[in-house]
Amino acid sequence: MNLLSRIKSMFRPALTCADANAFIAEYIDDALDQKTRKSFKKHVEMCPNCSVFLEQYNSTIDLCRNDGKVAAPPELVETTLEFLRSRGVGEA
Ligand SMILES: [Zn+2]
């Protein structure tokens, strides 16, 4: 993405970080409609925080799916859980 469109996106935020965090589980489950999915991807592309978060979220899910087969680095799981807690995600 070039600088101009990056600046434009900043003035017309399609999605906030809170929105992106709320959509992340559905994005991974492929449960978002096309428009939301597009906005989500766009946000993650221009937002370093969310891009790292998505990466960590994916890694954590992979580790969970590999339950027992691959040792999950405790720091990574803890960091991700901490992040989720700080965002108020996962609180029932
Ligand atoms: Zn963000």
Side-chain angles (χ1 to χ4, degrees), residues 17-25 53 57 80-92:
C17 288
D19 292 332
N21 285 323
F23 287 142
I24 202 162
F53 179 56
Y57 195 98
T80 308
L81 289 176
E82 199 54 51
F83 190 95
L84 287 167
R85 279 188 217 113
S86 73
R87 297 287 169 124
V89 180
E91 282 169 20

Side-chain angles (χ1 to χ4, degrees), residues 15-18 20-21 43-44 46-51 87:
L15 223 60
T16 65
C17 288
N21 285 323
H43 177 89
V44 170
M46 62 161 220
C47 177
N49 292 333
C50 289
S51 122
R87 297 287 169 124

